[in-house]
Amino acid sequence: MAVVTEDFTEFPAPEAEDAAPPTSAPEADDGPLGWDGYGAARQRARERTGERESVISGTARIDGVPTVLISFEFKFLGGSLGERTGDRLVAAYTRARELRLPVVSLIATGGSRMQEGMRALTQLQRVAAQSVLTRAVGLAQIAVVRDPTTGGGWATLGAGADVVLALPGAQIGFAGSRVRPADADPYAYSAEGQLAAGQIDAIVPPDRLRTTLGRWLGLLGVGAGAVVPGAVGRPAVPGPAASGPAGVAPPPPPPPPHALGSSDLPASGWAAVCAARDERRPRAAAYLDAYFDWREEISGDRCGGTDTGIRCGFGRRDGRTTAFAAQCGTAVRPAGFRTAARLIRLADRLGIPVLTLVDTPGAANDPDAERAGAGAAIADVFAALASVRTPVTSLLIGEGGSGGALALAAPGALWATPDSYFSVIAPESAAAILKRDANAVRDTADQLRLRPTDLLDLGIIQGIVPPVPSE
C-alpha cells in the first residue's frame, strides 16, 4: 500500500471477528466444514504476514485525495475470500458510505476459500450487495487488479468496479490457472488480453499507480459534480427513494466547445458534406485537447469489445469534472456504442455532466457489426441519454450520419460547428435509394437540408458555435 498512499489508518476488526476464538489456539477452529488443518493453516498465514485475514481496509489519502482503501494480502491463504473476509469487506463498504468516500480496491486473490465451502462462496453475494448500495449513493469504485486476480474476487470487486486498472502482466480471469482448459491461451487471462477484450480500462505501471489513482479520484471523487455548498455526493434516484443527502443540486450543463476548423458557413448542402469530410478538419482529439485541462479515458464495453472510433472518459476544466464521449470520424462499432452508454450512466450516477462530440459517417453495418448487436448497442445509447438526470451537451463537429450519429446527440442540447452536417442518410445513399444517377448527389444533398444553417432553421440544433476568440 505504501506504493499508492501517503497515509493509512486501518479500520478496527468487525465485531464478529473479535468474537472469534483467540489466535493462541487456532487449531481448535477448523472452520464451518471442520476442514482438517484449516485452523493451523490460518495461524501459519498470520505468522507469515502479520495479518489476521486476507484483507485489510481503512481510510487513506492517495495523491492527496481521501478514500477508503481495501487491500488484499495474497500471502494470506492466496488472498482467498472467507466468511471473515466478507465481514471485513462489508464493514469497509459501510464505512465508505458513512464517510461519503470513494472506494479503491487493491486486489490479489485466488478466489473463494474452499476450506469454508459454500459459506465462503456466498460472500460474493454480500460483496455484490455492498457494491450496489455504494453505487446507489453516488460513490465511485476503482479497482487495481494485481497478480493474480481470479475467481470471485475478479467477478465482484474487480470487474464490478466503475474503473478497472491493472498492473502489467497481471493474471486476470474468472478461472484460476489450475482449473482452466489445458489448451487455454494464457493471453486471454492476462492484463493485456483483458484490455484488448474490453474488460479493463488501462494497464498502469507500478511507478505511475499513485499518480493515476490520484487523478481518477480527483475526477470521480466526492465533489466532482456540482453540489450545493455544504453538501457532498448526489442521490442516485430522485424523489422519496433517494438515499443521498438532501439539498443536492444538479451540475450546470457544460458549455459547448468553440469551433476549431473553418468559420465559413457552407453555401450548399454538398459544400457542407465536403467540409465535414475534409481530412484536414479538426477531429475529436483536437477538441478534447482544447477543451480540457487534463483527462483520463476508460476503455471497453465489458462485453468483449473495444472501438478506437470513440473516446470516452472524464476530464477537468476550470476546476470541474465533465464526462465525454467523442466520436472520432469513423463508423462506430457496437463496442463503441456500449462503451459510450457505460460512460453516460456512470457520469449520471456520480452527478457529473456529460459532453458528447458527434462525428461519424454512421454506425458500422458490416456482418460482424450486426452479429455483435449493432441495433441493440445503438438502442442502449438512446436509452442512456433519454434516462439521465445529469445535463448533457452535444456538439456536432463533422459528419452526422443518420442514427449512428443521432445516438450521441442530446435531445434539445445539440450545437454544431460551421464545418459539419447532419442528415437522415448520406446523400449518396439517398440518391441510390431514389434511383438517381451519380450526378444527382449534389442536388440530393441540398434537398436533405443538412447544413448547419438548415439544422438551425429546422430547430434541430441550438446554435452554431463560433471559433475560439482571438486574444
Side-chain angles (χ1 to χ4, degrees):
M1 287 188 299
V3 174
V4 299
T5 65
E6 292 91 49
D7 56 69
F8 176 76
T9 302
E10 187 173 356
F11 292 140
E15 293 181 3
E17 189 174 324
D18 288 337
T23 57
S24 58
E27 295 82 356
D29 179 17
D30 281 334
L33 306 186
W35 188 286
D36 187 29
Y38 176 44
R42 289 208 316 278
Q43 177 62 15
R44 289 193 297 271
R46 288 169 178 159
E47 293 170 353
R48 182 168 56 250
T49 64
E51 304 295 344
R52 293 181 62 187
E53 250 303 334
S54 59
V55 163
I56 62 172
S57 63
T59 55
R61 300 186 76 85
I62 299 178
D63 212 27
V65 183
T67 185
V68 165
L69 185 67
I70 295 170
S71 182
F72 281 71
E73 173 53 78
F74 188 75
K75 293 180 180 178
F76 193 106
L77 300 180
S80 56
L81 281 75
E83 191 167 13
R84 293 177 191 169
T85 322
D87 292 338
R88 289 190 169 205
L89 292 172
V90 168
Y93 273 105
T94 302
R95 287 294 288 147
R97 293 192 297 275
E98 292 171 350
L99 298 171
R100 304 291 301 169
L101 292 177
V103 178
V104 172
S105 300
L106 309 178
I107 311 170
T109 175
S112 300
R113 195 169 298 171
M114 62 181 179
Q115 296 95 331
E116 295 186 22
M118 286 301 298
R119 292 279 283 275
L121 189 64
T122 56
Q123 300 311 305
L124 305 184
Q125 295 172 320
R126 297 179 70 196
V127 172
Q130 290 300 312
S131 178
V132 168
L133 291 172
T134 304
R135 186 176 295 120
V137 296
L139 297 174
Q141 300 171 60
I142 302 173
V144 177
V145 187
R146 299 146 61 202
D147 185 38
T149 297
T150 60
W154 166 237
T156 51
L157 288 158
D162 299 318
V163 175
V164 184
L165 309 176
L167 297 184
Q171 178 188 174
I172 306 169
F174 186 64
S177 60
R178 298 183 183 181
V179 296
R180 299 169 191 157
D183 59 349
D185 179 6
Y187 180 74
Y189 304 87
S190 68
E192 292 72 16
Q194 296 285 14
L195 179 65
Q199 306 299 340
I200 64 176
D201 292 297
I203 297 174
V204 183
D207 60 352
R208 289 174 46 203
L209 187 56
R210 178 186 296 194
T211 300
T212 302
L213 278 173
R215 285 166 66 95
W216 272 113
L217 287 168
L219 289 167
L220 305 185
V222 171
V227 296
V228 168
V232 294
R234 172 181 180 273
V237 181
S243 53
V248 176
H258 289 287
L260 299 181
S262 173
S263 60
D264 297 331
L265 291 170
S268 67
W270 185 245
V273 172
C274 291
R277 292 177 179 175
D278 191 330
E279 292 183 358
R280 297 167 295 180
R281 172 181 57 78
R283 306 287 167 148
Y287 277 91
L288 295 175
D289 287 343
Y291 193 80
F292 291 111
D293 301 322
W294 54 274
R295 65 185 189 274
E296 293 287 339
E297 297 191 13
I298 65 171
S299 176
D301 63 356
R302 300 299 186 262
C303 298
T306 60
D307 180 11
T308 58
I310 194 163
R311 301 180 71 165
C312 297
F314 296 82
R316 205 71 167 169
R317 173 184 169 88
D318 297 333
R320 307 183 80 90
T321 299
T322 297
F324 62 86
Q327 294 173 328
C328 298
T330 59
V332 181
R333 307 201 65 79
F337 288 116
R338 283 191 288 263
T339 304
R342 178 166 79 93
L343 179 281
I344 292 165
R345 290 193 174 102
L346 173 58
D348 185 48
R349 179 158 48 80
L350 298 179
I352 296 172
V354 179
L355 170 70
T356 67
L357 301 180
V358 180
D359 184 11
T360 179
N365 58 7
D366 56 87
D368 285 343
E370 293 296 343
R371 282 190 288 266
I378 294 171
D380 196 30
V381 182
F382 276 125
L385 278 180
S387 60
V388 294
R389 294 142 298 185
T390 198
V392 183
T393 298
S394 297
L395 177 65
L396 176 66
I397 64 171
E399 290 197 81
S402 194
L406 188 66
L408 256 69
L414 174 63
W415 301 73
T417 62
D419 52 354
S420 65
Y421 80 87
F422 214 140
S423 179
V424 64
I425 191 172
E428 296 91 341
S429 298
I433 291 172
L434 297 171
K435 298 182 179 180
R436 296 175 177 176
D437 60 36
N439 294 326
V441 170
R442 296 189 178 199
D443 290 338
T444 304
D446 287 334
Q447 285 184 288
L448 288 168
R449 299 199 65 190
L450 46 71
R451 298 175 302 165
T453 48
D454 297 324
L455 300 172
L456 187 59
D457 290 342
L458 293 168
I460 304 300
I461 63 174
Q462 304 302 300
I464 301 169
V465 296
V468 179
S470 57
E471 296 182 0

